Amino acid sequence: MSRNKKNKKDTKEKSGGNGKRLTKEKMIQLIISLFQSSPKELFNYKQVSKQIGITSQVQKLMVVDILYDLSADDFITEIDRGRYQLNNLGTVAIGTFARRSNGKNSFLPEDGGSAVFIAERNSKHAMDGDKVKVQLLAKRKGAEPEAEVMEVLETKERTFVGKLQVAKGFAFLITENKTLANDIFIPKDKLKGGKNGDKAIVRIIEWPENAKNPLGEVIDILGTAGQNNAEMHAILAEFGLPYKYPPAVEKAGEKIPEKISQSEIEKREDFREILTFTIDPRDAKDFDDALSFRVLENGNYEVGVHIADVTHYVKPENIIDKEAYNRATSVYLVDRTIPMLPERLSNGICSLRPNEEKLCFSAIFELNKEAEVKASRICRTVINSDRRFTYEEAQDIIETGEGDHSEAILTLNKLAQKIRVNRFKNGAINFDRYEVRFEIDKEGKPIEVYFKESKEANKLIEEFMLLANRTVAELIGKTPKNKTAKTFVYRIHDLPDPDKMENFAAFIRRFGYKMKTEGKKSEISKGINNLLDNVQGKPEENLIETLAIRAMQKAKYSTENVGHYGLAFEYYTHFTSPIRRYPDMMVHRLLERYLAGGRSVIKKKYEEMCDHCSSMEQVAANAERASIKYKQVEFMSDKLGMIFDGVISGVTEWGLYVELNENKCEGLVPIRDLGDDYYEFDEKNYCLIGRRRKQEYRLGDAITIKVAQANLERKQLDFMLAE
């Protein structure tokens, strides 16, 4: 007897034989078993009735209803009229487990599809990010689909950051991690000297099946909770980022000779006698770009964009290169930089410090007075910077017309402004937002909030860096029609999501603004720019700019060039910051290879590297935001009970986020504290609406709050509505 026939026979026998009247629950069980035992077969209601032993017309009609319900619940799918098959997700699936501290664990199938809920009792203690095999449970009418973990196939390194609570013979790690509701139990012999109140990193060793808490061991003690260094290191560790440099990598950096040989200089174009300078933030130590300037005999200008030649010193696959690739980027927290390269390289050998000979990879441009590029070349160079300017010093020269090398800076500024005007004419989007910065005392405590704005000096550097990046990308990416471009690393930015743009346009209509969401790329860009101009200086400026950015796609690295929508460039890459970004190092190496006539590299390998760099860039940005959030909460912690004006910057089912006008600190008014009514979340219209009194709280509304609580552990400010 075939397996299939046997299954059907078993199902029939379980029904209690032909003609026996079954309860609806029993029928549902039998029908589910039938579809599960024959996942590829199609059945109509007559075939199902026959298989489970139903003969009466009344019960056959009940089968029709059950099939309809199971189809509505996505357990089965109607393939053609009246004929059903088990849903193609199957009863067993493989994918990723997502653990949440609120108990809403879920499973994401690896072959796509919606997330499926997994109750804690069915989780088998799988951890966030684990690869799991699950059994999809039979779905009941009106309930969400559910699954049960059968097996954990691959597990991630399970480390958590938190505060130690030490008792006599044991300890717990109390964590605010959003993926773990349970504190971690630590036996005394696994404490590694940790004391009560210490911030620590703990690895989960095991989670016994019947135990409520996972079992862990301390990996590292970061310091006393609340102490600035400990908290900044905790933020890095929380995001899986390194907070100290491996001694072996530092040692390798120390061995790199600083002196440049004469033979190396002779291989390069010599710019040491040409006026060259750097313009950087006042606290910068890693100067990875410099500009050179001279007037040519024909009256045109030669502008050199000189970039630190990091890959001359860091060879592929050596210990420094491997560490740099793993990090992929320098991380900029509120009060410190965690460099991608050892400091001897980033702040020393490679940094384009004044009055020191330095090796560079350079893009040299000849521009006329209208800032049109008449010629360009990419080459290895040697430079000697004449002066280090801060942005403030360069801005002062632009505004007063006086100071060191004022003629060069003023000319470069005029050229940059013309390049910028053309860029916006071609459809670039002008996101010109300010950044929140903190004045910090010696202990790391924030004493003042200020806003960093991009002025002409910043834009001068920005335009020449963009020009260099675009030129390098065009050199490799632009090819004759009958030729295939060699594999290269691009910085891409896809078109905005049409649905998000439509929602955004609907939202801004509340403020009286209109925007085109369909048409040519340049028309949409022009509409966004007009909007950003119109909101300048208005209370809703920051909110609308934030939502406009959210409507955009994220820029990322890829070997597949789709252009850069935000900059309106067909070809764009990152070439200008190899000290702090690994993709720029990849670009330098590919340039060197292709300029020497080398063959194309393997695309798949480079796409994987691009994915890694894009992912690490996002992690670094999240850590930076967390450090800003921590300092905002710390800054507000002595302002409890004070009243501030703000704007509703976010609306969720758990409450209102409010950004304060005075210092841009953001906090939450929990929905439970809106006690005058029962409020419901209207996701489409970004608002909370009171059920009885119809009071509305909308995104962008002005609001006055009182500071209720500052929770540093959770990096959260709680506000309440001011009376």
Side-chain angles (χ1 to χ4, degrees):
M1 187 187 294
S2 77
R3 188 184 211 173
N4 217 23
K5 280 179 183 168
K6 184 179 183 306
N7 281 337
K8 288 173 191 171
K9 184 172 181 285
D10 289 347
T11 306
K12 206 168 182 178
E13 281 168 3
K14 282 176 197 164
S15 75
N18 282 346
K20 188 176 175 185
R21 194 167 182 84
L22 298 169
T23 64
K24 188 171 182 182
E25 284 69 29
K26 185 68 178 169
M27 285 171 71
I28 290 169
Q29 283 175 16
L30 290 170
I31 292 169
I32 284 170
S33 292
L34 172 65
F35 279 100
Q36 286 175 338
S37 64
S38 310
K40 291 185 178 165
E41 282 200 45
L42 272 68
F43 297 99
N44 61 24
Y45 85 95
K46 287 180 182 174
Q47 290 163 320
V48 170
S49 300
K50 189 176 178 187
Q51 291 300 324
I52 67 170
I54 296 294
T55 53
S56 86
Q57 196 57 35
V58 172
Q59 290 214 306
K60 281 182 184 178
L61 290 173
M62 205 183 283
V63 169
V64 172
D65 286 344
I66 292 168
L67 290 175
Y68 180 81
D69 288 346
L70 289 174
S71 173
D73 289 345
D74 289 332
F75 179 75
I76 55 174
T77 305
E78 191 171 18
I79 302 299
D80 54 43
R81 192 176 173 85
R83 297 178 74 218
Y84 299 91
Q85 185 183 41
L86 189 73
N87 194 324
N88 61 11
L89 189 60
T91 54
V92 173
I94 290 170
T96 305
F97 184 83
R99 175 172 282 284
R100 290 295 171 264
S101 61
N102 60 7
K104 292 183 179 176
N105 306 328
S106 59
F107 164 77
L108 297 158
E110 65 181 1
D111 54 358
S114 304
V116 181
F117 172 70
I118 297 183
E120 186 56 43
R121 66 182 180 279
N122 295 327
S123 74
K124 226 181 177 77
H125 294 334
M127 301 299 288
D128 192 55
D130 283 356
K131 186 176 182 181
V132 293
K133 181 194 281 187
V134 303
Q135 170 86 43
L136 292 149
L137 304 175
K139 198 175 162 203
R140 293 285 176 263
K141 186 170 174 61
E144 289 296 307
E146 279 195 53
E148 178 179 359
V149 175
M150 297 165 69
E151 188 185 349
V152 177
L153 302 173
E154 283 172 28
T155 188
K156 285 193 160 190
E157 175 78 1
R158 304 166 178 187
T159 60
F160 293 88
V161 181
K163 191 159 75 172
L164 289 176
Q165 202 175 73
V166 181
K168 208 169 186 183
F170 60 89
F172 280 100
L173 184 84
I174 315 299
T175 173
E176 289 293 342
N177 191 289
K178 288 184 172 66
T179 70
L180 191 66
N182 318 60
D183 299 330
I184 301 167
F185 177 83
I186 304 160
K188 199 155 193 183
D189 63 340
K190 302 287 185 189
L191 257 177
K192 211 175 180 179
K195 295 186 289 297
N196 196 45
D198 277 351
K199 210 87 187 198
I201 303 174
V202 167
R203 173 170 49 225
I204 289 181
I205 311 165
E206 62 169 324
W207 195 340
E209 199 166 322
N210 298 319
K212 184 189 171 192
N213 301 82
L215 194 71
E217 65 176 353
V218 172
I219 296 172
D220 203 2
I221 303 295
L222 300 172
T224 309
Q227 184 215 9
N228 186 59
N229 250 359
E231 295 296 346
M232 291 300 110
H233 285 169
I235 285 169
L236 292 165
E238 209 177 297
F239 287 95
L241 295 167
Y243 50 92
K244 48 192 175 189
Y245 225 89
V249 183
E250 293 275 19
K251 212 170 178 182
E254 293 301 325
K255 288 179 183 170
I256 295 172
E258 202 164 339
K259 191 166 167 51
I260 301 168
S261 67
Q262 189 54 39
S263 61
E264 185 57 45
I265 288 172
E266 284 165 8
K267 291 179 198 169
R268 295 170 177 257
E269 282 197 43
D270 193 341
F271 276 76
R272 287 175 296 178
E273 298 304 317
I274 297 166
L275 173 63
T276 304
F277 47 81
T278 59
I279 305 177
D280 287 281
R282 60 172 179 245
D283 55 354
K285 295 186 181 84
D286 52 347
F287 313 136
D288 50 14
D289 57 81
L291 293 178
S292 67
F293 176 82
R294 63 175 163 179
V295 182
L296 299 172
E297 285 178 10
N298 62 4
N300 286 346
Y301 306 111
E302 181 190 80
V303 180
V305 179
H306 303 283
I307 307 303
D309 195 353
V310 172
T311 55
H312 172 79
Y313 297 101
V314 182
K315 299 304 175 191
E317 294 295 311
N318 74 11
I319 188 171
I320 298 173
D321 182 60
K322 283 178 181 173
E323 181 68 20
Y325 173 69
N326 287 337
R327 291 173 179 240
T329 178
S330 292
V331 183
Y332 296 89
L333 299 189
V334 163
D335 65 338
R336 68 195 64 202
T337 299
I338 294 85
M340 180 180 80
L341 296 168
E343 286 198 17
R344 178 172 157 78
L345 283 170
S346 60
N347 296 355
I349 293 173
C350 296
S351 185
L352 308 182
R353 300 186 298 198
N355 307 311
E356 293 179 18
E357 290 185 350
K358 297 287 178 179
L359 300 179
C360 290
F361 217 146
S362 306
I364 314 298
F365 300 96
E366 181 185 336
L367 299 113
N368 64 15
K369 287 183 172 59
E370 294 309 307
E372 295 165 332
V373 177
K374 292 298 174 188
S376 67
R377 65 187 187 279
I378 312 291
C379 54
R380 287 309 224 312
T381 60
V382 58
I383 68 161
N384 191 323
S385 173
D386 296 276
R387 172 79 149 81
R388 185 249 156 142
F389 290 100
T390 65
Y391 279 120
E392 290 80 5
E393 288 169 336
Q395 185 63 30
D396 197 46
I397 291 166
I398 290 167
E399 287 173 12
T400 65
E402 292 172 9
D404 293 352
H405 313 302
S406 57
E407 194 179 326
I409 285 178
L410 292 168
T411 306
L412 285 168
N413 188 48
K414 279 179 190 162
L415 293 170
Q417 286 179 332
K418 286 177 179 171
I419 295 169
R420 192 174 175 82
V421 166
N422 284 332
R423 198 159 61 77
F424 290 129
K425 258 187 204 164
N426 292 333
I429 297 171
N430 186 13
F431 284 122
D432 201 5
R433 305 188 72 217
Y434 54 78
E435 296 173 42
V436 176
R437 289 283 183 267
F438 292 91
E439 204 67 63
I440 286 170
D441 69 14
K442 285 177 186 173
E443 276 72 52
K445 191 169 172 56
I447 48 178
E448 190 190 337
V449 178
Y450 65 94
F451 307 119
K452 184 184 155 197
E453 289 183 68
S454 188
K455 295 190 174 177
E456 285 166 288
N458 305 75
K459 291 168 185 173
L460 183 165
I461 292 297
E462 181 186 21
E463 288 308 325
F464 284 108
M465 296 308 123
L466 291 174
L467 179 62
N469 286 333
R470 190 186 84 194
T471 304
V472 165
E474 286 176 347
L475 179 72
I476 307 301
K478 262 188 173 179
T479 53
K481 275 185 182 173
N482 57 344
K483 279 201 168 187
T484 307
K486 290 176 177 176
T487 296
F488 201 55
V489 172
Y490 297 96
R491 179 69 169 174
I492 63 166
H493 185 222
D494 216 337
L495 293 169
D497 179 297
D499 291 341
K500 282 186 180 176
M501 287 302 285
E502 198 51 62
N503 288 345
F504 176 60
F507 173 72
I508 62 171
R509 281 199 282 274
R510 285 187 48 228
F511 294 93
Y513 302 113
K514 284 185 181 173
M515 195 189 74
K516 222 177 165 186
T517 58
E518 290 177 340
K520 290 181 187 169
K521 276 201 288 191
S522 57
E523 287 173 350
I524 297 169
S525 307
K526 197 177 174 185
I528 294 170
N529 281 336
N530 287 340
L531 171 69
L532 296 175
D533 285 344
N534 291 337
V535 299
Q536 287 283 311
K538 307 266 175 65
E540 63 271 16
E541 177 188 353
N542 200 37
L543 173 71
I544 286 180
E545 285 200 355
T546 303
L547 288 174
I549 289 168
R550 282 185 202 160
M552 297 284 142
Q553 305 274 22
K554 276 192 172 72
K556 61 179 185 175
Y557 299 103
S558 179
T559 57
E560 293 287 346
N561 180 42
V562 298
H564 196 295
Y565 175 75
L567 294 170
F569 290 158
E570 277 186 62
Y571 300 89
Y572 187 65
T573 189
H574 273 170
F575 162 78
T576 52
S577 292
I579 288 176
R580 62 186 181 89
R581 293 188 303 226
Y582 195 83
D584 302 55
M585 286 174 63
M586 290 161 67
V587 164
H588 281 216
R589 285 176 181 152
L590 291 173
L591 261 180
E592 180 180 28
R593 179 189 179 102
Y594 296 156
L595 289 172
R599 293 172 62 185
S600 185
V601 292
I602 298 162
K603 189 168 188 167
K604 187 173 184 288
K605 178 191 169 189
Y606 274 79
E607 189 59 33
E608 284 168 7
M609 290 167 83
C610 284
D611 285 346
H612 167 72
C613 291
S614 297
S615 158
M616 290 306 293
E617 176 187 37
Q618 193 55 53
V619 171
N622 291 342
E624 182 184 351
R625 273 197 293 275
S627 81
I628 291 169
K629 194 82 189 161
Y630 184 87
K631 289 298 168 199
Q632 286 180 328
V633 176
E634 195 178 6
F635 178 72
M636 295 297 291
S637 58
D638 61 357
K639 296 169 181 61
L640 299 183
M642 290 176 68
I643 290 174
F644 293 88
D645 288 329
V647 66
I648 296 175
S649 54
V651 182
T652 68
E653 60 197 272
W654 55 86
L656 305 168
Y657 284 96
V658 177
E659 185 183 78
L660 306 184
N661 298 340
E662 186 181 307
N663 52 35
K664 303 301 171 197
C665 293
E666 188 180 58
L668 175 72
V669 178
I671 198 163
R672 64 176 179 271
D673 291 349
L674 299 174
D676 62 335
D677 203 343
Y678 180 83
Y679 284 88
E680 291 172 328
F681 175 46
D682 180 348
E683 191 175 3
K684 195 177 177 189
N685 293 304
Y686 305 99
C687 68
L688 290 178
I689 304 172
R691 193 182 278 178
R692 282 183 297 109
R693 294 162 61 185
K694 304 299 177 196
Q695 161 80 36
E696 289 186 12
Y697 291 103
R698 287 181 172 273
L699 194 65
D701 282 353
I703 194 166
T704 303
I705 60 88
K706 185 192 280 189
V707 183
Q709 194 184 357
N711 187 324
L712 279 166
E713 289 287 321
R714 285 162 50 202
K715 303 178 194 68
Q716 186 174 306
L717 283 171
D718 279 348
F719 296 155
M720 58 196 291
L721 297 182
E723 292 297 326

